Each structure stands twice: as C-alpha cells, then as structure tokens.
Amino acid sequence: ECHIKGVTNKYPFKVEAEQVENCECDFNPDFLRRMYAKLDWKAFKDTAECLKLDGLPESVSEDMLKSDEGFLRTFHHILLEVEVEEGALICPETGRRFPIHKGIPNLLLNEDEC
C-alpha cells in the first residue's frame, strides 16, 4: 500500500522484476490453505502474471484447496519459492517506483511526499 500524500488508489503495487530467484522450501498444504484465506487472490494472481508465472486459476474452490495437489504445488511455488531480488514496486496511481535491492523493498518516502 502506498502512503504518498493525496494518493487514493494505493493498492496493489505493480511488481517489476529485474532478477528473480527460486528457493526450495518444504511443501505444506495446510499452511497454504490457511494463507489462502488471508490473500487478496486477484492481487496475488496479477502479481504472478507480472512475474510471468502461469498456472493460477481466476478463482479457487474449496475442492481445489482440499485435494488438488497440482494447484496446491503451483500456489506453493509462487507464494513461497519465488523471490524478487532486484526490481521495483510501483504505485498504481502515481507510478512512483520503490526499488527492491537484495530482496528488500525500500518504501521510504521523500520529505515532500509525506
């Protein structure tokens, strides 16, 4: 979410990646089921598409969360194993770029933006 003074369309940031890394982590379907309830699915899917990551459906059913291992593995990979190392987060209203360096976004505002 963007906190620039006067901005009303603050979310979601667009992600522009220059360097993406994959790191393996243990597959835990129960964790994914709990995380799904906390996600804005459309924002998550749009971000995955910005990163050229395919395979996520437009919507998710209870059956998919319960027993579709293919879906759960794709969800797991995009949520937990893909890391943007270099790039930027971009405010949807102003186009202000917040750099990502070594996997850490710098969201500090300039004094005139507060």
mmCIF file of all heavy atoms in Angstrom, residues 91-108:
data_model
loop_
_atom_site.group_PDB
_atom_site.id
_atom_site.type_symbol
_atom_site.label_atom_id
_atom_site.label_comp_id
_atom_site.label_asym_id
_atom_site.label_seq_id
_atom_site.Cartn_x
_atom_site.Cartn_y
_atom_site.Cartn_z
ATOM 1 N N CYS A 91 3.741 2.246 -7.527
ATOM 2 C CA CYS A 91 2.440 2.733 -7.055
ATOM 3 C C CYS A 91 1.480 2.765 -8.237
ATOM 4 O O CYS A 91 1.811 3.305 -9.300
ATOM 5 C CB CYS A 91 2.598 4.132 -6.461
ATOM 6 S SG CYS A 91 1.029 4.920 -6.026
ATOM 7 N N PRO A 92 0.270 2.200 -8.086
ATOM 8 C CA PRO A 92 -0.666 2.138 -9.200
ATOM 9 C C PRO A 92 -1.204 3.507 -9.630
ATOM 10 O O PRO A 92 -1.604 3.668 -10.776
ATOM 11 C CB PRO A 92 -1.795 1.252 -8.685
ATOM 12 C CG PRO A 92 -1.709 1.343 -7.207
ATOM 13 C CD PRO A 92 -0.270 1.567 -6.884
ATOM 14 N N GLU A 93 -1.193 4.492 -8.742
ATOM 15 C CA GLU A 93 -1.727 5.812 -9.091
ATOM 16 C C GLU A 93 -0.662 6.768 -9.608
ATOM 17 O O GLU A 93 -0.840 7.409 -10.635
ATOM 18 C CB GLU A 93 -2.421 6.442 -7.879
ATOM 19 C CG GLU A 93 -3.072 7.781 -8.197
ATOM 20 C CD GLU A 93 -3.885 8.319 -7.043
ATOM 21 O OE1 GLU A 93 -4.590 7.542 -6.384
ATOM 22 O OE2 GLU A 93 -3.811 9.539 -6.813
ATOM 23 N N THR A 94 0.455 6.855 -8.899
ATOM 24 C CA THR A 94 1.464 7.864 -9.250
ATOM 25 C C THR A 94 2.579 7.332 -10.140
ATOM 26 O O THR A 94 3.291 8.110 -10.749
ATOM 27 C CB THR A 94 2.128 8.429 -7.976
ATOM 28 O OG1 THR A 94 2.881 7.383 -7.340
ATOM 29 C CG2 THR A 94 1.091 8.993 -7.017
ATOM 30 N N GLY A 95 2.746 6.017 -10.159
ATOM 31 C CA GLY A 95 3.861 5.443 -10.902
ATOM 32 C C GLY A 95 5.180 5.529 -10.154
ATOM 33 O O GLY A 95 6.227 5.151 -10.677
ATOM 34 N N ARG A 96 5.139 6.020 -8.912
ATOM 35 C CA ARG A 96 6.360 6.133 -8.087
ATOM 36 C C ARG A 96 6.956 4.756 -7.926
ATOM 37 O O ARG A 96 6.280 3.792 -7.607
ATOM 38 C CB ARG A 96 5.981 6.736 -6.739
ATOM 39 C CG ARG A 96 7.012 6.599 -5.623
ATOM 40 C CD ARG A 96 8.196 7.533 -5.802
ATOM 41 N NE ARG A 96 8.779 7.964 -4.542
ATOM 42 C CZ ARG A 96 9.642 7.267 -3.816
ATOM 43 N NH1 ARG A 96 10.012 6.060 -4.189
ATOM 44 N NH2 ARG A 96 10.116 7.757 -2.698
ATOM 45 N N ARG A 97 8.267 4.673 -8.158
ATOM 46 C CA ARG A 97 8.982 3.406 -8.077
ATOM 47 C C ARG A 97 9.699 3.308 -6.733
ATOM 48 O O ARG A 97 10.401 4.225 -6.343
ATOM 49 C CB ARG A 97 9.983 3.305 -9.219
ATOM 50 C CG ARG A 97 9.330 3.333 -10.580
ATOM 51 C CD ARG A 97 10.352 3.476 -11.700
ATOM 52 N NE ARG A 97 11.304 2.394 -11.701
ATOM 53 C CZ ARG A 97 11.087 1.188 -12.224
ATOM 54 N NH1 ARG A 97 9.944 0.937 -12.819
ATOM 55 N NH2 ARG A 97 12.005 0.251 -12.174
ATOM 56 N N PHE A 98 9.490 2.179 -6.072
ATOM 57 C CA PHE A 98 10.187 1.873 -4.829
ATOM 58 C C PHE A 98 11.133 0.723 -5.148
ATOM 59 O O PHE A 98 10.677 -0.388 -5.458
ATOM 60 C CB PHE A 98 9.188 1.472 -3.739
ATOM 61 C CG PHE A 98 8.228 2.571 -3.363
ATOM 62 C CD1 PHE A 98 6.998 2.680 -3.998
ATOM 63 C CD2 PHE A 98 8.572 3.491 -2.389
ATOM 64 C CE1 PHE A 98 6.111 3.687 -3.654
ATOM 65 C CE2 PHE A 98 7.691 4.507 -2.031
ATOM 66 C CZ PHE A 98 6.467 4.611 -2.671
ATOM 67 N N PRO A 99 12.440 0.962 -5.088
ATOM 68 C CA PRO A 99 13.390 -0.070 -5.515
ATOM 69 C C PRO A 99 13.431 -1.283 -4.581
ATOM 70 O O PRO A 99 13.204 -1.173 -3.381
ATOM 71 C CB PRO A 99 14.739 0.659 -5.499
ATOM 72 C CG PRO A 99 14.552 1.789 -4.549
ATOM 73 C CD PRO A 99 13.098 2.174 -4.617
ATOM 74 N N ILE A 100 13.695 -2.438 -5.195
ATOM 75 C CA ILE A 100 13.952 -3.678 -4.448
ATOM 76 C C ILE A 100 15.416 -4.012 -4.699
ATOM 77 O O ILE A 100 15.846 -4.131 -5.850
ATOM 78 C CB ILE A 100 13.067 -4.836 -4.944
ATOM 79 C CG1 ILE A 100 11.584 -4.496 -4.801
ATOM 80 C CG2 ILE A 100 13.401 -6.127 -4.185
ATOM 81 C CD1 ILE A 100 10.658 -5.481 -5.498
ATOM 82 N N HIS A 101 16.185 -4.130 -3.630
ATOM 83 C CA HIS A 101 17.607 -4.455 -3.742
ATOM 84 C C HIS A 101 17.919 -5.578 -2.765
ATOM 85 O O HIS A 101 17.599 -5.484 -1.578
ATOM 86 C CB HIS A 101 18.444 -3.202 -3.433
ATOM 87 C CG HIS A 101 19.916 -3.415 -3.537
ATOM 88 N ND1 HIS A 101 20.539 -3.741 -4.727
ATOM 89 C CD2 HIS A 101 20.887 -3.358 -2.608
ATOM 90 C CE1 HIS A 101 21.827 -3.865 -4.508
ATOM 91 N NE2 HIS A 101 22.067 -3.647 -3.228
ATOM 92 N N LYS A 102 18.506 -6.647 -3.284
ATOM 93 C CA LYS A 102 18.828 -7.831 -2.484
ATOM 94 C C LYS A 102 17.588 -8.373 -1.768
ATOM 95 O O LYS A 102 17.651 -8.805 -0.626
ATOM 96 C CB LYS A 102 19.952 -7.545 -1.502
ATOM 97 C CG LYS A 102 21.271 -7.240 -2.175
ATOM 98 C CD LYS A 102 22.385 -7.047 -1.181
ATOM 99 C CE LYS A 102 23.681 -6.737 -1.898
ATOM 100 N NZ LYS A 102 24.778 -6.476 -0.959
ATOM 101 N N GLY A 103 16.440 -8.300 -2.447
ATOM 102 C CA GLY A 103 15.203 -8.850 -1.919
ATOM 103 C C GLY A 103 14.453 -7.958 -0.947
ATOM 104 O O GLY A 103 13.392 -8.334 -0.458
ATOM 105 N N ILE A 104 14.970 -6.748 -0.680
ATOM 106 C CA ILE A 104 14.346 -5.860 0.303
ATOM 107 C C ILE A 104 13.827 -4.609 -0.390
ATOM 108 O O ILE A 104 14.596 -3.862 -0.985
ATOM 109 C CB ILE A 104 15.356 -5.471 1.403
ATOM 110 C CG1 ILE A 104 15.865 -6.733 2.099
ATOM 111 C CG2 ILE A 104 14.722 -4.500 2.398
ATOM 112 C CD1 ILE A 104 17.015 -6.502 3.039
ATOM 113 N N PRO A 105 12.504 -4.369 -0.311
ATOM 114 C CA PRO A 105 11.968 -3.142 -0.913
ATOM 115 C C PRO A 105 12.236 -1.931 -0.020
ATOM 116 O O PRO A 105 12.149 -2.020 1.202
ATOM 117 C CB PRO A 105 10.467 -3.416 -1.019
ATOM 118 C CG PRO A 105 10.192 -4.441 0.014
ATOM 119 C CD PRO A 105 11.460 -5.235 0.196
ATOM 120 N N ASN A 106 12.584 -0.808 -0.638
ATOM 121 C CA ASN A 106 12.789 0.447 0.079
ATOM 122 C C ASN A 106 11.538 1.289 -0.134
ATOM 123 O O ASN A 106 11.348 1.872 -1.199
ATOM 124 C CB ASN A 106 14.025 1.177 -0.435
ATOM 125 C CG ASN A 106 14.256 2.497 0.269
ATOM 126 O OD1 ASN A 106 13.416 2.981 1.016
ATOM 127 N ND2 ASN A 106 15.403 3.092 0.011
ATOM 128 N N LEU A 107 10.679 1.361 0.878
ATOM 129 C CA LEU A 107 9.413 2.079 0.785
ATOM 130 C C LEU A 107 9.466 3.447 1.455
ATOM 131 O O LEU A 107 8.432 4.074 1.684
ATOM 132 C CB LEU A 107 8.291 1.241 1.410
ATOM 133 C CG LEU A 107 8.064 -0.122 0.736
ATOM 134 C CD1 LEU A 107 7.047 -0.930 1.519
ATOM 135 C CD2 LEU A 107 7.596 0.067 -0.689
ATOM 136 N N LEU A 108 10.670 3.933 1.730
ATOM 137 C CA LEU A 108 10.796 5.246 2.365
ATOM 138 C C LEU A 108 10.380 6.339 1.379
ATOM 139 O O LEU A 108 10.721 6.306 0.205
ATOM 140 C CB LEU A 108 12.232 5.475 2.826
ATOM 141 C CG LEU A 108 12.740 4.544 3.918
ATOM 142 C CD1 LEU A 108 14.210 4.807 4.210
ATOM 143 C CD2 LEU A 108 11.912 4.702 5.177
#
